[in-house]
């Protein structure tokens, strides 16, 4: 009949944010599935999905690789503080895709697809006390997130504090003889922590995207170590920790190849001082890390069984550790 020899052409396209290549996801979680976990950040979502993202390889279980909208990112810090409502779906792939991206074969791949448009401001506060004479805690968090297709801005701050717990506040028996020093010794120190982060991402064109992130953290702890036997002075240990991390990356595609270039710089400092005893001591340590990595993966040629793909990875890392201890014996 008429039209019997006409060709029927069916044209389809990948879902937005899909991972390039022909490896299908093992599991896909919808936005409703993600919200059902009741988490408050992407980081908590990944923790809740750990049973599904853990590797089944007999060689061991590496942490999953995280992609965003099918593209590599400079680090989890880019998305860890985003609210879960921004997630459109989550795809979990087996270790086969990890090899294509140039990672070890004991890691699965998690692709987080974000909504095309999203805007939200959030604030959360909380506090609690375990019981009479127990540890009290306070928490405050605020964030702002804006996503408009290829542009993503996210900012957040957080603060939490917890009071100390002395030995006298727990059922610890007093010494059989001598001074009862339980009230002057802490099991858990008095602690305060703060953090601030900023993440920016832009699509420069249809093939190239860029992202940058900054994260600052600080914390302090005060622990009681009891009275010094020789001076009867109360010994107190103060610990101060500061961490700064900045990272950036470019991601693109060209002629069937995916490429990524990332750079990360970390600086952490910790200072610990013990006062009130006959031999005060101070320890200072600093760590600096600079990591630069470039990756490229794509199909080299095709065989009857399928396409042959390869992944190339080039990187350099510089790490510096400096520690100084100053006590009664001098500086070392």
């Amino acid at each position: 009949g008429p039209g019997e020899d006409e060709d029927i052409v069916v044209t389809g396209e990948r879902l937005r944010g899909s991972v390039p290549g022909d490896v299908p996801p093992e599991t896909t979680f919808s936005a409703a599935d993600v919200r059902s976990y009741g988490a408050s950040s992407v980081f908590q979502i990944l923790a809740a999905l750990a049973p599904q993202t853990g590797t089944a390889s007999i060689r061991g279980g590496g942490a999953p690789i995280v992609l965003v909208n099918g593209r590599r990112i400079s680090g989890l810090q880019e998305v860890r503080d985003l609210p879960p409502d921004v997630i459109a779906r989550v795809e979990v792939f087996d270790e086969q895709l990890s090899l294509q991206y140039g990672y070890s074969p004991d890691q699965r791949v998690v692709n987080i697809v974000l909504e095309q448009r999203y805007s939200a401001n959030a604030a959360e506060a909380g506090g609690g006390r375990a019981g009479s004479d127990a540890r009290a805690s306070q928490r405050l968090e605020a964030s702002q997130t804006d996503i408009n297709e290829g542009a993503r801005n996210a900012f957040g701050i957080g603060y939490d504090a917890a009071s100390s717990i002395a030995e006298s506040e727990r059922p610890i028996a007093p010494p059989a003889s001598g001074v009862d020093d339980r009230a002057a010794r802490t099991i858990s120190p008095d602690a305060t922590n703060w953090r601030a982060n900023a993440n920016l991402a832009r699509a420069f064109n249809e093939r190239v995207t860029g992202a940058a992130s900054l994260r600052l953290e600080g914390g302090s702890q005060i622990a009681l170590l009891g009275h010094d036997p020789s001076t009867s002075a109360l010994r107190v240990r103060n610990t101060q920790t500061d961490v700064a991390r900045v990272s950036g990356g470019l991601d693109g595609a060209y002629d069937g190849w995916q490429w990524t270039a990332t750079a990360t710089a970390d600086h952490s400092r910790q200072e610990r001082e013990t006062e009130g005893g006959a031999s005060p001591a101070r320890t200072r340590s600093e760590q600096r890390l600079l990591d630069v990595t470039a990756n490229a993966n794509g199909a080299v040629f095709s065989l009857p069984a399928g396409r042959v793909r390869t992944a190339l990875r080039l990187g350099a890392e510089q790490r510096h550790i400096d520690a100084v201890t100053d006590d009664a014996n001098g500086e070392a």
Side-chain angles (χ1 to χ4, degrees), residues 17 31 41 43 73 75 87 100 117 125 154 254-255 271 274 276 283 311 319:
S41 68
F43 185 77
I73 56 178
I87 298 177
Q100 293 186 13
R117 292 179 176 82
Y254 178 75
D255 196 22
E271 183 170 343
T274 303
T283 301
R319 187 183 297 270

Side-chain angles (χ1 to χ4, degrees), residues 72 101 250 259-263 291-296 312-316:
R72 294 181 57 159
Y101 275 85
L250 292 173
W259 60 267
T260 306
T262 61
D291 180 270
V292 180
T293 305
N295 296 269
L312 306 174
R313 187 173 186 179
L314 178 65

Side-chain angles (χ1 to χ4, degrees), residues 225-242:
L225 307 180
H227 292 90
D228 187 273
S230 57
T231 65
S232 298
L234 178 63
R235 300 175 66 231
V236 180
R237 175 179 293 164
N238 295 283
T239 303
Q240 179 71 38
T241 304
D242 299 297

Side-chain angles (χ1 to χ4, degrees), residues 109-147:
V109 177
V110 178
N111 181 35
I112 300 175
V113 181
L114 305 180
E115 298 286 356
Q116 285 186 289
R117 292 179 176 82
Y118 180 87
S119 180
N121 298 318
E124 186 175 350
R129 179 181 288 273
S132 178
D133 295 328
R135 196 175 207 190
S137 62
Q138 304 86 40
R139 178 174 55 87
L140 175 64
E141 294 183 355
S143 64
Q144 180 184 26
T145 306
D146 290 294
I147 296 178

Side-chain angles (χ1 to χ4, degrees), residues 177-227:
S177 61
V179 179
D180 184 0
D181 220 14
R182 291 177 299 166
R185 285 196 298 264
T186 52
I187 302 173
S188 295
D190 187 279
T192 59
N193 298 280
W194 64 270
R195 57 196 173 276
N197 63 275
N199 301 280
L200 307 175
R202 295 289 184 274
F204 299 113
N205 52 50
E206 293 182 355
R207 295 184 175 182
V208 180
T209 62
S213 64
L214 171 66
R215 187 174 183 87
L216 304 174
E217 298 180 4
S220 63
Q221 295 183 352
I222 301 176
L224 304 182
L225 307 180
H227 292 90

Side-chain angles (χ1 to χ4, degrees), residues 2-330:
E4 288 183 356
D5 297 330
E6 294 181 1
D7 294 331
I8 299 176
V9 179
V10 177
T11 303
E13 62 180 27
R14 292 180 177 272
L15 290 174
R16 182 183 61 83
S18 295
V19 174
D22 51 7
V23 179
E26 279 191 337
T27 309
T28 299
F29 298 91
S30 66
D33 295 332
V34 171
R35 287 194 293 269
S36 68
Y37 284 96
S40 60
S41 68
V42 169
F43 185 77
Q44 293 182 4
I45 288 295
L46 292 174
L49 295 178
Q52 287 78 21
T53 60
T55 178
S57 170
I58 62 174
R59 289 177 292 273
I65 290 108
V66 178
L67 309 178
V68 174
N69 295 335
R71 295 177 176 267
R72 294 181 57 159
I73 56 178
S74 61
L76 183 59
Q77 66 274 6
E78 279 192 27
V79 294
R80 60 171 293 165
D81 295 317
L82 291 177
D85 290 344
V86 78
I87 298 177
R89 71 179 187 277
V90 176
E91 300 170 333
V92 181
F93 297 83
D94 63 14
E95 295 88 345
Q96 179 183 356
L97 187 64
S98 175
L99 289 171
Q100 293 186 13
Y101 275 85
Y103 289 101
S104 62
D106 65 344
Q107 294 176 283
R108 290 191 177 184
V109 177
V110 178
N111 181 35
I112 300 175
V113 181
L114 305 180
E115 298 286 356
Q116 285 186 289
R117 292 179 176 82
Y118 180 87
S119 180
N121 298 318
E124 186 175 350
R129 179 181 288 273
S132 178
D133 295 328
R135 196 175 207 190
S137 62
Q138 304 86 40
R139 178 174 55 87
L140 175 64
E141 294 183 355
S143 64
Q144 180 184 26
T145 306
D146 290 294
I147 296 178
N148 186 7
E149 295 187 354
R152 182 173 74 246
N153 301 324
F155 307 93
I157 57 173
Y159 172 84
D160 58 78
S163 62
S164 61
I165 300 177
E167 291 184 0
S168 59
E169 296 175 314
R170 290 294 183 266
I172 297 177
S177 61
V179 179
D180 184 0
D181 220 14
R182 291 177 299 166
R185 285 196 298 264
T186 52
I187 302 173
S188 295
D190 187 279
T192 59
N193 298 280
W194 64 270
R195 57 196 173 276
N197 63 275
N199 301 280
L200 307 175
R202 295 289 184 274
F204 299 113
N205 52 50
E206 293 182 355
R207 295 184 175 182
V208 180
T209 62
S213 64
L214 171 66
R215 187 174 183 87
L216 304 174
E217 298 180 4
S220 63
Q221 295 183 352
I222 301 176
L224 304 182
L225 307 180
H227 292 90
D228 187 273
S230 57
T231 65
S232 298
L234 178 63
R235 300 175 66 231
V236 180
R237 175 179 293 164
N238 295 283
T239 303
Q240 179 71 38
T241 304
D242 299 297
V243 179
R245 163 175 282 197
V246 59
S247 64
L250 292 173
D251 179 281
Y254 178 75
D255 196 22
W257 284 74
Q258 301 286 325
W259 60 267
T260 306
T262 61
T264 301
D266 275 328
H267 181 269
S268 62
R269 181 185 65 87
Q270 185 182 78
E271 183 170 343
R272 178 174 296 172
E273 184 175 10
T274 303
E275 302 174 323
S279 57
R282 174 180 296 179
T283 301
R284 299 183 302 276
S285 64
E286 287 192 40
Q287 296 188 40
R288 293 188 293 273
L289 170 67
L290 177 62
D291 180 270
V292 180
T293 305
N295 296 269
N297 64 86
V300 183
F301 53 85
S302 297
L303 293 175
R307 291 182 296 176
V308 176
R309 303 180 65 89
T310 186
L312 306 174
R313 187 173 186 179
L314 178 65
E317 179 182 299
Q318 182 184 52
R319 187 183 297 270
H320 176 80
I321 301 176
D322 185 19
V324 177
T325 299
D326 187 6
D327 55 21
N329 299 319

